[in-house]
Amino acid sequence: MPDTPTDSPKVPHMSPVPQSLLPSVAERLSRVQSDLRLGLPCLLTDGPVRAVAVAAETLTQARLDALRDLFGVPELVLTGNRARAAMAPVQSADIWDLPVRIRPPEQADLAWFMRLADAGQDTAGPVAPLHRVRDREARLHGLALSVVKSSELLPAALIFALADDRAIPEGLSMTAVDLAEALSHFAQTPALSPVAAAGLPVEAHDSGKLHVFRDPDGRTEHYAFEIGTPDPARPVLARLHSACFTGDVLGSLKCDCGPQLRAAMLRMGEEGAGLLLYLNQEGRGIGLANKMRVYDLQSRGLDTVDANHALGFEDDERDFRVAAVMLRNLGFGAVRLLTNNPAKVHTFRAQGIEVVEQLPLRVGKNIHNSGYLAVKALKSGHAL
């Protein structure tokens, strides 16, 4: 008689993954930022439309070759500011502040892409002729630029469009971000969580308390430093200050950041109470590496704003809403703001923080930064 078949092995029942274990939109964007800084690709989606994106700055020739073998010839996407600086005037005359898509030569190497991506490498002048692509919407291209900029990388990305039936090879794991979810996240007021606080005496006052706040994606921390014991029922003397490693720590003479920080804390100490809001948004929000690129372009004759534009950034990429979130968390609703920058006043008021007084901080001018300060007054409206 034939052997009696044994029962088939039972497959364990897999329960659905709890939603709390799945990454949120903010967490997926944080993963994308980390991947882009590592030179890894990510997957961008807009409904059924899909594209693979990778940052030009951190890409290697080997990965460019591999991506091209898998997905074909990419497009290079630049900001309008960068495209105007990189392209010949006849081609850049109609460029606005929208993603500019460029079709490279079929076998263009990484050096070709980087000459267009990095203002520091275009010393030979504008590249021409270039093939601009205008036949499809550039929604995912705009998302790619947003996440690359938020990663503090040069705002240039390579985009590989995926056909509807194009499968991603098994084993190529990419973090995916959907356009609608990302746009909704970017539009939201930043959410910060208090992490820790402790007393900290400083030169300006022997009674202080440092509060550490963290973004929900865990990537960035910002600080609020109370001097004395400010009364939440009264407008607090406050300084909104963005991190400046060169000025705050090294004592750079190219800006007025260090003198402003020290003058603000000294005044708070003299009055007996105040609040310093210290944002980790180095270089007007573009990061220290890009700030050094700006300095290099300044040494070639560009002013601060023009150098930012040549790299592909806006005049100022900072998000001052973060400071309003910290203020409210600490119980303050009104400030006497130590600042020369009208954008800070505008943002606070738009976020429901009452600015009862704007107090200029005209300190730190020297022969090395007089031109820089003049540009801040002329092009950014600072009260200098």
Side-chain angles (χ1 to χ4, degrees):
M1 292 182 62
D3 293 338
T4 303
T6 58
D7 292 338
S8 300
K10 294 183 178 180
V11 177
H13 175 69
M14 299 297 290
S15 301
V17 177
Q19 191 68 29
S20 61
L21 293 180
L22 298 176
S24 66
V25 176
E27 290 162 341
R28 276 187 278 122
L29 283 167
S30 181
R31 286 184 179 180
V32 166
Q33 291 165 342
S34 295
D35 287 349
L36 291 173
R37 290 181 66 87
L38 291 170
L40 295 170
C42 63
L43 180 65
L44 307 180
T45 62
D46 182 12
V49 181
R50 300 176 302 154
V52 173
V54 64
E57 179 180 344
T58 52
L59 186 61
T60 63
Q61 185 65 53
R63 281 183 172 157
L64 171 58
D65 294 340
L67 288 168
R68 191 157 38 199
D69 290 343
L70 287 173
F71 304 120
V73 178
E75 293 177 8
L76 174 65
V77 56
L78 304 173
T79 64
N81 281 333
R82 176 64 198 137
R84 280 189 291 271
M87 299 170 70
V90 67
Q91 285 195 298
S92 63
D94 65 339
I95 291 175
W96 304 100
D97 292 327
L98 296 171
V100 176
R101 300 154 56 199
I102 299 171
R103 186 79 168 179
E106 189 150 341
Q107 294 303 318
D109 62 8
L110 185 60
W112 187 93
F113 288 98
M114 285 307 299
R115 183 180 168 193
L116 284 166
D118 185 359
Q121 298 189 29
D122 63 5
T123 54
V127 178
L130 292 172
H131 179 188
R132 286 182 59 193
V133 182
R134 310 170 192 246
D135 61 338
R136 298 185 302 275
E137 282 192 276
R139 287 159 57 91
L140 289 182
H141 300 70
L143 175 58
L145 288 177
S146 294
V147 293
V148 169
K149 282 206 294 185
S150 68
S151 306
E152 297 185 354
L153 298 171
L154 288 169
L158 279 68
I159 301 292
F160 299 81
L162 297 182
D164 293 345
D165 59 349
R166 174 65 66 92
I168 296 174
E170 186 177 353
L172 178 57
S173 177
M174 292 183 290
T175 305
V177 174
D178 180 73
L179 175 69
E181 290 182 332
L183 292 179
S184 175
H185 172 75
F186 290 144
Q188 294 173 4
T189 300
L192 295 175
S193 300
V195 178
L200 181 67
V202 295
E203 290 180 356
H205 199 287
D206 61 4
S207 175
K209 188 174 186 179
L210 180 63
H211 301 261
V212 178
F213 292 83
R214 186 176 294 155
D215 284 342
D217 59 13
R219 184 168 175 264
T220 307
E221 292 179 350
H222 305 283
Y223 317 124
F225 184 62
E226 287 183 280
I227 288 180
T229 309
D231 183 0
R234 302 177 59 187
V236 61
L237 181 63
R239 165 69 182 167
L240 168 51
H241 191 90
S242 298
C244 178
F245 173 75
T246 52
D248 299 345
V249 179
L250 300 182
S252 168
L253 299 178
K254 286 181 66 67
C255 65
D256 56 344
C257 302
Q260 284 189 322
L261 175 63
R262 288 182 283 277
M265 293 185 69
L266 180 61
R267 178 158 180 177
M268 293 175 193
E270 290 172 346
E271 292 200 10
L275 183 63
L276 171 67
L277 303 162
Y278 197 91
L279 309 186
N280 273 313
Q281 297 182 6
E282 177 79 46
R284 295 187 179 182
I286 65 176
L288 185 58
N290 286 318
K291 177 178 167 179
M292 291 302 99
R293 293 182 170 118
V294 167
Y295 280 6
D296 181 57
L297 293 176
Q298 287 176 335
S299 72
R300 305 184 199 180
L302 298 183
D303 67 34
T304 307
V305 172
D306 290 342
N308 267 42
H309 291 177
L311 284 175
F313 296 103
E314 298 300 325
D315 302 19
D316 196 331
E317 297 277 355
R318 289 174 291 183
D319 186 352
F320 295 134
R321 297 177 302 169
V322 175
V325 173
M326 289 194 288
L327 267 172
R328 283 195 295 270
N329 186 281
L330 294 172
F332 297 96
V335 296
R336 298 163 54 222
L337 194 60
L338 288 159
T339 187
N340 303 324
N341 189 347
K344 295 178 180 179
V345 176
H346 174 77
T347 299
F348 269 175
R349 287 175 173 161
Q351 293 297 308
I353 301 296
E354 183 184 2
V355 181
V356 299
E357 190 176 8
Q358 178 183 351
L359 304 167
L361 272 174
R362 299 186 180 100
V363 294
K365 185 174 181 179
N366 61 71
I367 60 172
H368 299 281
N369 66 20
S370 57
Y372 162 80
L373 296 179
V375 169
K376 286 213 295 187
L378 179 65
K379 294 189 175 181
S380 303
H382 287 221
L384 294 168

